[in-house]
């Protein structure tokens, strides 16, 4: 569950930035590069890619 | 193991490049961690030249006796799979399906296994890596032709059978059932090239490529059935799936939807309870704990809800006892497990075979097995692709069909189906 107030910071953390790749296409499927640092996610969510 | 000559080999090669030179040999296996997180997928295993093999169908009693013996043997490692139908007798059931494909359970036994540590980027025995790369010749890749797809069931029939499962739920027969279907894809695509595409599209901690000669198993599973280390056992069921999203905003939105979804949380909770019950058959009293619950993990194209459940295994429990207690896995059957498996057998049109069984290794007091989802079997010119999902009381059949297709998407792409 994403706690109140967490959403804003989570959204802010995935805005395009210098650390964000624009993603790349593999076999026609757009994959996302790591755009969100683990520390900025809710404690019960984790990006593995 | 046959005598091998040492020649120059770059042992800095990652496992994918090393295994490329080996995969054509019968008995070549690669338990592949294309995604590493902590203890998940920390090590990849490569082995060739098995000293023998075990199949369940030829000698059921001897098969399990041998697995029990190898489980504690410090010199041997068994690598292979136990198919879904092979586990049904653990529930007192027999499958009504006949499977012309792989044996119901199949292992190779090795006296040497090469391990690659993903943290350090090194092999445990560099000299073995050198030897292995000289054992087989690379098979030329055939020319790929456009694939033909044959679904085992129509969309309309799929929806009708989901309604039947919902009827069983409303009648009180079950709480949840995992319903799956199969697609047969006819193509000349080279299986190792397919696997390379699959692991790029769908990186995962519990992948596998296994060459059994007349068939090969290609798995990109994100789900751990169990890890057994001495007396400690951990299971990490997945229930609840949503598309990752086309961009960051949609990814966030989907993540929130999944984490707040009453249906998905209920699905996972039911399976966590089921796994706790299963572990209770082999665990020391009071040792079962739910270490995490409702954690969302974002993979390359899907986000999943997962849980970690662990226990201490009693001293009198054998490896086979562990299999009997846990298989088939709750996340791919439903609850209550036995009745769900009966209903699945009644409604699904094909044997699941390797799919939703488990793939892994055992030896030296340790065993690590995935649940064989996101898994293909290749035999002749055909790739067998299965996909499905958990059906609960408030499931919408059309959405369940879409989720099933979503799970199969990267498998289709890997075999060259243009979607």
């Amino acid at each position: 569950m994403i706690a109140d107030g967490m959403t804003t910071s989570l959204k802010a953390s995935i805005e395009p930035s210098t650390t964000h790749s624009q993603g790349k296409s593999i076999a026609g499927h757009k994959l996302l590069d790591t755009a969100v640092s683990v520390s900025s996610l809710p404690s019960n969510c984790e990006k593995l890619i | 193991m046959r005598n091998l000559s040492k020649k120059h080999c770059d042992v800095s090669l990652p496992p994918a490049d090393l295994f490329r030179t080996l995969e054509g040999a019968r008995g070549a296996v690669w338990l592949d961690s294309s995604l590493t997180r902590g203890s998940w997928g920390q090590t990849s295993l490569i082995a060739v030249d098995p000293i023998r093999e075990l199949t369940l169908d030829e000698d059921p009693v001897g098969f399990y006796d041998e697995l029990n013996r190898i489980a504690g043997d410090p010199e041997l490692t068994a690598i292979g799979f136990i198919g879904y139908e092979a586990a049904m007798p653990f529930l007192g059931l027999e499958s009504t399906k006949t499977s012309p494909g792989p044996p119901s359970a199949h292992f190779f036994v090795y006296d040497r296994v090469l391990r690659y540590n993903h943290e350090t980027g090194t092999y445990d025995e560099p000299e073995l890596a050198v030897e292995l790369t000289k054992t087989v010749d690379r098979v030329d890749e055939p020319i790929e032709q456009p694939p033909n797809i044959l679904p085992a069931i129509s969309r309309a029939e799929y929806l009708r059978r989901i309604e039947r499962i919902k009827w069983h739920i409303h009648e009180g027969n079950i709480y949840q059932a995992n319903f799956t279907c199969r697609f047969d894809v006819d193509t000349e695509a080279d299986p190792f090239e397919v696997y390379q595409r699959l692991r790029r599209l769908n990186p995962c901690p519990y992948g596998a490529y296994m060459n059994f000669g007349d068939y090969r198993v290609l798995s990109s599973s994100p789900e751990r059935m169990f890890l057994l280390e001495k007396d400690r056992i951990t299971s990490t069921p997945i229930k609840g799936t949503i598309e990752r999203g086309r961009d960051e905003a949609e990814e966030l939105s989907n993540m929130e939807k999944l984490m707040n979804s009453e249906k998905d949380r209920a699905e996972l909770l039911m399976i966590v309870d089921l796994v706790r019950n299963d572990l209770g058959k082999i665990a020391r009293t009071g040792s079962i704990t739910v270490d995490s619950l409702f954690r969302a993990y974002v993979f390359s194209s899907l986000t999943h809800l997962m849980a970690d459940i662990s226990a201490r295994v009693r001293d009198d429990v054998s490896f086979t006892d562990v299999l009997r207690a846990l298989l088939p896995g709750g996340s791919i059957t439903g609850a209550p497990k036995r009745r769900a498996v009966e209903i699945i057998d009644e409604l699904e049109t094909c044997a699941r075979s390797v799919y939703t069984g488990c793939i892994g290794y055992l030896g030296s007091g340790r065993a690590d097995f995935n649940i064989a989802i996101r898994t293909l079997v290749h035999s002749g010119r055909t790739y067998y692709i299965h996909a499905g999902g958990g059906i609960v009381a408030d499931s919408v059949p059309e959405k369940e069909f879409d989720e099933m297709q979503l799970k199969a998407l990267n498998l289709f792409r890997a075999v060259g189906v243009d979607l």
Side-chain angles (χ1 to χ4, degrees):
Chain A
M1 192 79 71
I2 298 179
D4 288 340
M6 184 65 80
T7 308
T8 307
S9 63
L10 183 57
K11 271 185 177 170
S13 72
I14 61 171
E15 289 299 318
S17 69
T18 53
T19 60
H20 172 239
S21 160
Q22 293 304 307
K24 55 191 172 186
S25 176
I26 296 177
H29 180 59
K30 188 178 182 189
L31 299 177
L32 297 170
D33 283 349
T34 303
V36 181
S37 66
V38 171
S39 60
S40 67
L41 291 170
S43 60
N44 53 349
C45 182
E46 190 170 332
K47 283 184 82 157
L48 300 175
I49 297 294
Chain B
M1 193 160 194
R2 67 184 179 221
N3 214 3
L4 302 167
S5 63
K6 286 191 179 183
K7 295 181 185 176
H8 173 72
C9 167
D10 182 0
V11 292
S12 66
L13 281 176
D17 294 328
L18 181 71
F19 191 73
R20 175 181 291 278
T21 65
L22 306 171
E23 61 87 18
R26 184 175 191 276
V29 299
W30 175 23
L31 298 185
D32 169 29
S33 303
S34 51
L35 185 66
T36 301
R37 172 202 168 267
S39 70
W40 294 3
Q42 202 170 39
T43 307
S44 286
L45 276 62
I46 289 175
V48 295
D49 270 352
I51 56 172
R52 63 179 183 277
E53 63 185 290
L54 309 169
T55 58
L56 175 64
D57 307 310
E58 289 174 6
D59 178 12
V61 176
F63 175 83
Y64 287 117
D65 285 348
E66 192 61 5
L67 287 190
N68 280 336
R69 196 182 70 72
I70 294 169
D73 191 322
E75 305 294 329
L76 298 178
T77 302
I79 300 177
F81 70 87
I82 296 169
Y84 173 83
E85 282 76 19
M88 287 177 67
F90 299 157
L91 301 171
L93 300 171
E94 291 290 339
S95 173
T96 59
K97 309 286 190 307
T98 55
S99 173
S104 54
H106 200 169
F107 281 82
F108 288 121
V109 183
Y110 303 90
D111 57 0
R112 296 178 81 182
V113 172
L114 183 65
R115 288 176 166 79
Y116 181 83
N117 185 314
H118 289 272
E119 274 189 346
T120 62
T122 56
Y123 295 97
D124 62 343
E125 291 184 73
E127 69 282 3
L128 180 57
V130 173
E131 290 179 7
L132 293 183
T133 53
K134 304 304 173 191
T135 57
V136 289
D137 295 325
R138 173 91 181 110
V139 177
D140 289 337
E141 297 166 19
I143 299 168
E144 293 188 18
Q145 300 292 329
N148 295 315
I149 308 170
L150 181 65
I153 188 171
S154 68
R155 182 177 185 276
E157 190 58 27
Y158 192 93
L159 302 184
R160 196 185 73 75
R161 292 181 190 219
I162 290 177
E163 290 290 3
R164 182 69 180 166
I165 289 172
K166 291 182 67 174
W167 177 85
H168 276 293
I169 293 170
H170 287 290
E171 286 296 300
N173 297 327
I174 49 173
Y175 305 109
Q176 177 179 172
N178 189 257
F179 183 67
T180 74
C181 71
R182 192 179 87 189
F183 300 85
D184 299 352
V185 182
D186 188 28
T187 171
E188 292 177 357
D190 174 70
F192 193 64
E193 294 304 314
V194 168
Y195 183 68
Q196 293 281 60
R197 281 199 290 273
L198 183 60
R199 69 192 297 276
R200 278 199 302 273
L201 288 164
N202 197 42
C204 69
Y206 309 112
Y209 182 96
M210 301 191 290
N211 183 345
F212 288 98
D214 52 347
Y215 70 98
R216 300 179 195 214
V217 175
L218 291 61
S219 180
S220 63
S221 172
E223 184 169 2
R224 174 178 264 163
M225 175 71 231
F226 67 87
L227 169 66
L228 180 64
E229 295 175 295
K230 296 182 180 170
D231 70 337
R232 182 174 174 79
I233 189 163
T234 306
S235 186
T236 310
I238 290 177
K239 264 292 159 248
T241 302
I242 197 164
E243 189 173 15
R244 184 178 175 185
R246 287 164 296 188
D247 52 36
E248 290 83 358
E250 192 175 47
E251 176 180 300
L252 172 64
S253 168
N254 286 351
M255 192 190 299
E256 286 180 320
K257 270 186 209 165
L258 181 67
M259 294 173 80
N260 292 298
S261 162
E262 189 177 0
K263 169 185 174 289
D264 289 293
R265 291 168 72 90
E267 272 189 54
L268 181 62
L269 195 57
M270 280 184 224
I271 301 310
V272 167
D273 281 343
L274 195 157
V275 172
R276 289 168 61 210
N277 173 72
D278 288 349
L279 285 173
K281 299 170 192 170
I282 54 171
R284 292 179 193 169
T285 304
S287 72
I288 301 170
T289 58
V290 178
D291 305 311
S292 74
L293 186 61
F294 304 133
R295 282 188 66 83
Y297 289 95
V298 182
F299 290 84
S300 63
S301 59
L302 300 173
T303 298
H304 290 300
L305 279 184
M306 299 166 72
D308 286 298
I309 306 129
S310 63
R312 296 279 177 192
V313 175
R314 295 192 316 268
D315 292 339
D316 63 325
V317 169
S318 69
F319 179 72
T320 302
D321 292 332
V322 172
L323 298 180
R324 289 182 187 284
L326 299 184
L327 299 184
S331 64
I332 49 79
T333 57
K337 189 190 281 187
R338 191 178 190 282
R339 188 69 183 107
V341 169
E342 282 184 321
I343 291 168
I344 289 167
D345 191 56
E346 171 193 321
L347 294 178
E348 291 187 358
T349 56
C350 307
R352 293 184 175 187
S353 184
V354 182
Y355 174 69
T356 65
C358 59
I359 297 169
Y361 72 93
L362 64 146
S364 305
R366 182 184 167 97
D368 199 354
F369 281 80
N370 73 10
I371 287 197
I373 55 174
R374 319 290 141 74
T375 296
L376 307 90
V377 171
H378 175 253
S379 180
R381 283 176 47 96
T382 305
Y383 289 86
Y384 298 95
I385 295 176
H386 296 250
I391 310 302
V392 290
D394 51 356
S395 284
V396 177
E398 290 79 6
K399 286 186 178 177
E400 296 296 344
F401 184 82
D402 291 346
E403 182 181 315
M404 178 274 292
Q405 285 196 313
L406 185 63
K407 289 171 176 171
L409 196 60
N410 280 339
L411 304 180
F412 282 124
R413 284 177 170 146
V415 297
V417 176
D418 189 17
L419 295 170

